[in-house]
Amino acid sequence: ITDSKKISDINDLKLKEDLNNHMNLSQQQQQQITEKQKSNDSIDIINLGIDACWLDDHKFIIPGRSGSLLAFNLGESLPIGCLKGHEGIITKILYNEELKLLVSSSTDNTIRIWQGDNPNSCQILIGHSQSIVYIKWLKLTNDYPVLLSCSIDGTIRLWDVSSGDLISLTIANSGSPIFEASVSPDLKKLVTGDSNNVIKVWDIDSKMVLNKFFKIYKKDKISNNNCSKLLNLRLNLINFFELPEIENSS
């Protein structure tokens, strides 16, 4: 009987230890779940993006989750506003101080115009078939704002922002995907870089190619993958109009 009682006591002790370990494990799991939920909740509120745009000296815009745009006051951790409409990742954000208009582009192939405190876009520019990689406000023509956009679909487009109408469409280099673009300081010329490592300088008004460049880099210094091409094109276009002695193939 004594031996049986000892065995029973030992079994009870093991059972209690197992229960305690299980309870501790459950508490740890619950704490991890709670921390993960808090982390997800914070991401819903604050989510850093790959682009940003100043509205003034104290307010700025960054991309948020699910194609949203978040407005922040400098020095504050929570957004003061949220703009929703895009269904893809935000690629570019640009603010026009004169017009008080914000423009954004996305991998959903659309461009949206935002005005004031309205959380909904006041204009949607639809036409690109692939992601937009570049947008730029141009000078006002005939009293309406003009926006230039370039896309991986290989097109350069000018838009009447007021009506949403397409003013012109130019196909760059037989439709090769445009990876990067830049407008000159005088807003009269555009330089584009495509997937074939071809850089073209365009006259925006006439849509004519002014110059065409390629073989910017030696073949032994460039990889054929798209990431390397994009990086190389970006490095060239950052200060393209100041680059000296680029080989001209035209």
Side-chain angles (χ1 to χ4, degrees), residues 24-239:
N24 291 333
L25 181 62
S26 297
Q27 290 175 354
Q28 291 177 359
Q29 289 176 336
Q30 184 62 38
Q31 184 177 1
Q32 291 176 352
I33 292 173
T34 302
E35 290 177 353
K36 186 175 181 180
Q37 288 176 342
K38 288 181 179 179
S39 176
N40 290 337
D41 290 342
S42 65
I43 291 176
D44 284 336
I45 298 175
I46 303 172
N47 185 47
L48 298 180
I50 58 173
D51 199 8
C53 175
W54 288 98
L55 299 179
D56 55 35
D57 292 338
H58 305 284
K59 295 184 179 66
F60 60 93
I61 300 282
I62 63 172
R65 294 190 71 186
S66 303
S68 64
L69 295 165
L70 302 178
F72 285 84
N73 273 324
L74 186 63
E76 297 182 3
S77 59
L78 296 178
I80 58 174
C82 180
L83 307 176
K84 293 184 178 181
H86 283 296
E87 297 179 354
I89 297 172
I90 303 297
T91 56
K92 294 292 180 181
I93 313 171
L94 198 61
Y95 183 63
N96 188 307
E97 175 65 28
E98 182 181 357
L99 299 173
K100 306 299 181 185
L101 294 176
L102 180 74
V103 60
S104 59
S105 61
S106 169
T107 56
D108 65 8
N109 311 335
T110 67
I111 299 169
R112 288 179 179 263
I113 311 296
W114 314 83
Q115 184 175 33
D117 296 329
N118 192 338
N120 301 313
S121 54
C122 62
Q123 187 65 268
I124 306 175
L125 308 180
I126 300 175
H128 284 293
S129 61
Q130 295 189 52
S131 299
I132 295 101
V133 297
Y134 182 76
I135 51 178
K136 179 68 175 179
W137 291 104
L138 300 180
K139 290 182 179 179
L140 301 184
T141 303
N142 298 328
D143 296 328
Y144 61 81
V146 174
L147 188 75
L148 180 145
S149 64
C150 300
S151 168
I152 295 178
D153 64 15
T155 65
I156 302 167
R157 300 172 187 247
L158 291 178
W159 305 86
D160 178 352
V161 175
S162 298
S163 64
D165 294 335
L166 181 66
I167 299 174
S168 68
L169 183 151
T170 304
I171 298 177
N173 200 29
S174 302
S176 298
I178 298 174
F179 282 167
E180 277 291 338
S182 180
V183 168
S184 62
D186 61 6
L187 304 180
K188 294 181 179 180
K189 297 177 289 294
L190 169 73
V191 58
T192 59
D194 63 33
S195 60
N196 292 324
N197 294 314
V198 175
I199 290 180
K200 288 184 177 181
V201 181
W202 306 77
D203 179 81
I204 294 177
D205 289 335
S206 67
K207 320 298 185 301
M208 298 295 293
V209 177
L210 301 177
N211 295 95
K212 180 179 178 181
F213 306 93
F214 64 95
K215 297 180 181 177
I216 302 295
Y217 294 90
K218 294 181 180 180
K219 291 184 178 180
D220 59 349
K221 291 185 178 181
I222 182 171
S223 169
N224 288 325
N225 64 69
N226 286 339
C227 289
S228 294
K229 290 180 179 180
L230 176 58
L231 176 59
N232 289 329
L233 289 171
R234 181 164 293 175
L235 290 173
N236 269 278
L237 296 181
I238 288 174
N239 294 305

